[in-house]
Structure formats: C-alpha cells, structure tokens
Amino acid sequence: MSEETRMRGGQSLAEALESYLAEWSERTGIAVETWALPATDVPSRVFSSVMATMREALDNVEQHSRARTVSIAVTVGKSGLRMTVSDNGQGFPATEAGRGIARMRAAFAEVGGTLSVNSVLGEGTTITGVVPTQRH
C-alpha cells in the first residue's frame, strides 16, 4: 500500500468511489450504473480532485436533473485519468451553467486537467474530466 493510500485511510480511488456511489444512490433513489473504476491508484491531489468533482456532479444530478439513472466511468491509463458522469435527466441550456460547474472545472484545473460539459435539453447531461499523466 502506498504512502498516499495510507494517508487517505487506506482507500484506493476505486474503493472510495464505490462506497460514495452506493451511499448516494441509496440516499437519493437514483440508480447508478458503474461502467468502469480505476484499477490503479492515483496521486493524492488527483484523488481529491476526482472526489470533489464527483460529489459536485452528483449534487447537481440530485438537485436539478430529474434523472432516474446516472452512469459513471473513471479510468486510468498511460495517457492519464478520464472521468465521465452521464445522466438521463432533463438537461439544461449552456447559458445556465452555474457555480457548481465552475467549481468542477477549477478542481480539475488545479491538477492540470480539463472538464467539459455537454447537455441536451430533454436528454441529459454528460460531464467529462481529463487529467493527463504528468511528465517529469
């Protein structure tokens, strides 16, 4: 177990996401489809960024989307980390993107990543965050 993993109470990113998603789904009654979780761990800063963004994204789903299902995929590969949160809710016009989306973008920017939002009225919203592997 890495030093960073021990500092986080022993949970890998996949374990932290699994427990958070299960609790969130139970509390909200919104189904969660988990398509992928990372097989390897990530640096502590990336872990924190992903968890903060996931919480914000799911808060938005719960409060605004009227979704029945949210799909989650978080993968880590040679090129870096990719996170996708997609709901089947009502969507929203791009002009109505609020502070929550700004906070998610800032969280990814802090670790050198980017975040995009694609929302279609009547069909839902997909948030995609990417953190490239840091080259030293």
Side-chain angles (χ1 to χ4, degrees):
M1 185 182 308
S2 76
E3 182 67 27
E4 287 181 357
T5 303
R6 279 195 297 280
M7 289 171 34
R8 295 191 301 247
Q11 278 194 314
S12 69
L13 179 58
E15 291 166 335
L17 286 167
E18 278 181 336
S19 60
Y20 180 74
L21 294 170
E23 182 276 328
W24 182 86
S25 180
E26 176 86 18
R27 181 176 51 77
T28 63
I30 299 171
V32 173
E33 294 177 345
T34 304
W35 292 347
L37 291 176
T40 59
D41 210 2
V42 299
S44 188
R45 291 179 64 227
V46 174
F47 177 100
S48 297
S49 175
V50 168
M51 291 305 295
T53 302
M54 184 67 68
R55 283 190 290 272
E56 186 71 47
L58 293 178
D59 283 350
N60 286 345
V61 169
E62 179 183 1
Q63 294 174 22
H64 307 295
S65 76
R66 298 188 186 139
R68 292 176 313 286
T69 304
V70 62
S71 301
I72 307 292
V74 181
T75 56
V76 177
K78 287 185 173 124
S79 62
L81 177 139
R82 181 179 189 90
M83 177 183 97
T84 304
V85 179
S86 186
D87 71 58
N88 66 351
Q90 64 185 2
F92 63 92
T95 56
E96 291 183 17
R99 289 187 299 251
I101 290 172
R103 283 191 294 270
M104 289 186 281
R105 284 193 170 117
F108 264 70
E110 283 178 17
V111 291
T114 58
L115 186 121
S116 63
V117 179
N118 181 17
S119 191
V120 178
L121 284 175
E123 295 185 22
T125 302
T126 298
I127 295 167
T128 304
V130 176
V131 179
T133 300
Q134 304 300 313
R135 305 275 187 243
H136 294 96

mmCIF file of all heavy atoms in Angstrom, residues 1-12 40-44:
data_model
loop_
_atom_site.group_PDB
_atom_site.id
_atom_site.type_symbol
_atom_site.label_atom_id
_atom_site.label_comp_id
_atom_site.label_asym_id
_atom_site.label_seq_id
_atom_site.Cartn_x
_atom_site.Cartn_y
_atom_site.Cartn_z
ATOM 1 N N MET A 1 0.852 -1.170 0.000
ATOM 2 C CA MET A 1 0.000 0.000 0.000
ATOM 3 C C MET A 1 0.901 1.237 0.000
ATOM 4 O O MET A 1 1.823 1.347 0.783
ATOM 5 C CB MET A 1 -0.903 -0.019 1.238
ATOM 6 C CG MET A 1 -1.911 1.092 1.277
ATOM 7 S SD MET A 1 -2.963 1.108 2.762
ATOM 8 C CE MET A 1 -3.590 -0.534 2.842
ATOM 9 N N SER A 2 0.623 2.186 -0.886
ATOM 10 C CA SER A 2 1.460 3.371 -0.986
ATOM 11 C C SER A 2 1.242 4.299 0.205
ATOM 12 O O SER A 2 0.236 4.235 0.901
ATOM 13 C CB SER A 2 1.156 4.121 -2.282
ATOM 14 O OG SER A 2 -0.065 4.821 -2.156
ATOM 15 N N GLU A 3 2.208 5.191 0.419
ATOM 16 C CA GLU A 3 2.107 6.181 1.496
ATOM 17 C C GLU A 3 0.851 7.036 1.306
ATOM 18 O O GLU A 3 0.130 7.316 2.253
ATOM 19 C CB GLU A 3 3.359 7.069 1.497
ATOM 20 C CG GLU A 3 3.381 8.095 2.611
ATOM 21 C CD GLU A 3 3.508 7.475 3.997
ATOM 22 O OE1 GLU A 3 4.072 6.371 4.111
ATOM 23 O OE2 GLU A 3 3.039 8.102 4.954
ATOM 24 N N GLU A 4 0.579 7.456 0.059
ATOM 25 C CA GLU A 4 -0.601 8.290 -0.208
ATOM 26 C C GLU A 4 -1.887 7.544 0.124
ATOM 27 O O GLU A 4 -2.814 8.120 0.669
ATOM 28 C CB GLU A 4 -0.627 8.741 -1.665
ATOM 29 C CG GLU A 4 0.407 9.793 -1.968
ATOM 30 C CD GLU A 4 0.372 10.257 -3.394
ATOM 31 O OE1 GLU A 4 -0.430 9.734 -4.192
ATOM 32 O OE2 GLU A 4 1.151 11.156 -3.727
ATOM 33 N N THR A 5 -1.962 6.266 -0.206
ATOM 34 C CA THR A 5 -3.155 5.483 0.086
ATOM 35 C C THR A 5 -3.352 5.374 1.595
ATOM 36 O O THR A 5 -4.462 5.526 2.088
ATOM 37 C CB THR A 5 -3.061 4.085 -0.555
ATOM 38 O OG1 THR A 5 -2.861 4.245 -1.962
ATOM 39 C CG2 THR A 5 -4.324 3.285 -0.319
ATOM 40 N N ARG A 6 -2.272 5.142 2.342
ATOM 41 C CA ARG A 6 -2.389 5.079 3.800
ATOM 42 C C ARG A 6 -2.879 6.412 4.360
ATOM 43 O O ARG A 6 -3.671 6.448 5.288
ATOM 44 C CB ARG A 6 -1.051 4.700 4.430
ATOM 45 C CG ARG A 6 -0.783 3.206 4.386
ATOM 46 C CD ARG A 6 0.332 2.802 5.316
ATOM 47 N NE ARG A 6 1.611 3.394 4.970
ATOM 48 C CZ ARG A 6 2.426 2.948 4.019
ATOM 49 N NH1 ARG A 6 2.084 1.898 3.296
ATOM 50 N NH2 ARG A 6 3.575 3.532 3.784
ATOM 51 N N MET A 7 -2.429 7.531 3.793
ATOM 52 C CA MET A 7 -2.838 8.846 4.275
ATOM 53 C C MET A 7 -4.336 9.077 4.068
ATOM 54 O O MET A 7 -4.947 9.866 4.765
ATOM 55 C CB MET A 7 -2.046 9.950 3.561
ATOM 56 C CG MET A 7 -0.594 9.996 4.005
ATOM 57 S SD MET A 7 0.481 11.097 3.035
ATOM 58 C CE MET A 7 -0.565 12.440 2.592
ATOM 59 N N ARG A 8 -4.925 8.398 3.122
ATOM 60 C CA ARG A 8 -6.355 8.562 2.838
ATOM 61 C C ARG A 8 -7.195 7.520 3.574
ATOM 62 O O ARG A 8 -8.327 7.261 3.180
ATOM 63 C CB ARG A 8 -6.603 8.447 1.336
ATOM 64 C CG ARG A 8 -5.961 9.551 0.542
ATOM 65 C CD ARG A 8 -6.453 9.550 -0.867
ATOM 66 N NE ARG A 8 -6.194 8.323 -1.564
ATOM 67 C CZ ARG A 8 -5.365 8.178 -2.593
ATOM 68 N NH1 ARG A 8 -4.682 9.191 -3.028
ATOM 69 N NH2 ARG A 8 -5.229 7.028 -3.179
ATOM 70 N N GLY A 9 -6.654 6.902 4.581
ATOM 71 C CA GLY A 9 -7.408 5.910 5.335
ATOM 72 C C GLY A 9 -7.416 4.560 4.662
ATOM 73 O O GLY A 9 -8.269 3.728 4.953
ATOM 74 N N GLY A 10 -6.487 4.322 3.754
ATOM 75 C CA GLY A 10 -6.356 3.021 3.130
ATOM 76 C C GLY A 10 -7.239 2.780 1.924
ATOM 77 O O GLY A 10 -7.202 1.712 1.339
ATOM 78 N N GLN A 11 -8.066 3.738 1.552
ATOM 79 C CA GLN A 11 -8.955 3.525 0.412
ATOM 80 C C GLN A 11 -8.300 3.951 -0.900
ATOM 81 O O GLN A 11 -7.731 5.034 -0.987
ATOM 82 C CB GLN A 11 -10.240 4.341 0.564
ATOM 83 C CG GLN A 11 -11.271 3.710 1.448
ATOM 84 C CD GLN A 11 -12.619 4.390 1.270
ATOM 85 O OE1 GLN A 11 -12.713 5.602 1.261
ATOM 86 N NE2 GLN A 11 -13.646 3.601 1.129
ATOM 87 N N SER A 12 -8.404 3.096 -1.898
ATOM 88 C CA SER A 12 -7.997 3.484 -3.235
ATOM 89 C C SER A 12 -9.104 4.367 -3.815
ATOM 90 O O SER A 12 -10.207 4.460 -3.256
ATOM 91 C CB SER A 12 -7.821 2.243 -4.116
ATOM 92 O OG SER A 12 -9.092 1.645 -4.366
ATOM 93 N N THR A 40 -5.785 1.093 -10.961
ATOM 94 C CA THR A 40 -4.590 1.545 -10.256
ATOM 95 C C THR A 40 -4.931 2.802 -9.473
ATOM 96 O O THR A 40 -5.938 3.462 -9.750
ATOM 97 C CB THR A 40 -3.454 1.865 -11.242
ATOM 98 O OG1 THR A 40 -3.893 2.890 -12.139
ATOM 99 C CG2 THR A 40 -3.055 0.641 -12.046
ATOM 100 N N ASP A 41 -4.085 3.111 -8.512
ATOM 101 C CA ASP A 41 -4.329 4.293 -7.702
ATOM 102 C C ASP A 41 -3.761 5.525 -8.390
ATOM 103 O O ASP A 41 -3.038 5.433 -9.386
ATOM 104 C CB ASP A 41 -3.748 4.119 -6.298
ATOM 105 C CG ASP A 41 -4.547 4.888 -5.247
ATOM 106 O OD1 ASP A 41 -5.564 5.522 -5.613
ATOM 107 O OD2 ASP A 41 -4.154 4.869 -4.084
ATOM 108 N N VAL A 42 -4.091 6.676 -7.857
ATOM 109 C CA VAL A 42 -3.686 7.960 -8.433
ATOM 110 C C VAL A 42 -3.053 8.811 -7.332
ATOM 111 O O VAL A 42 -3.275 8.567 -6.149
ATOM 112 C CB VAL A 42 -4.899 8.700 -9.048
ATOM 113 C CG1 VAL A 42 -5.513 7.881 -10.165
ATOM 114 C CG2 VAL A 42 -5.942 9.034 -7.997
ATOM 115 N N PRO A 43 -2.308 9.849 -7.716
ATOM 116 C CA PRO A 43 -1.748 10.753 -6.709
ATOM 117 C C PRO A 43 -2.851 11.377 -5.840
ATOM 118 O O PRO A 43 -3.984 11.565 -6.290
ATOM 119 C CB PRO A 43 -1.032 11.820 -7.541
ATOM 120 C CG PRO A 43 -0.725 11.138 -8.840
ATOM 121 C CD PRO A 43 -1.871 10.190 -9.070
ATOM 122 N N SER A 44 -2.486 11.721 -4.624
ATOM 123 C CA SER A 44 -3.442 12.247 -3.656
ATOM 124 C C SER A 44 -4.200 13.468 -4.173
ATOM 125 O O SER A 44 -5.405 13.594 -3.968
ATOM 126 C CB SER A 44 -2.692 12.586 -2.363
ATOM 127 O OG SER A 44 -3.597 12.914 -1.351
#
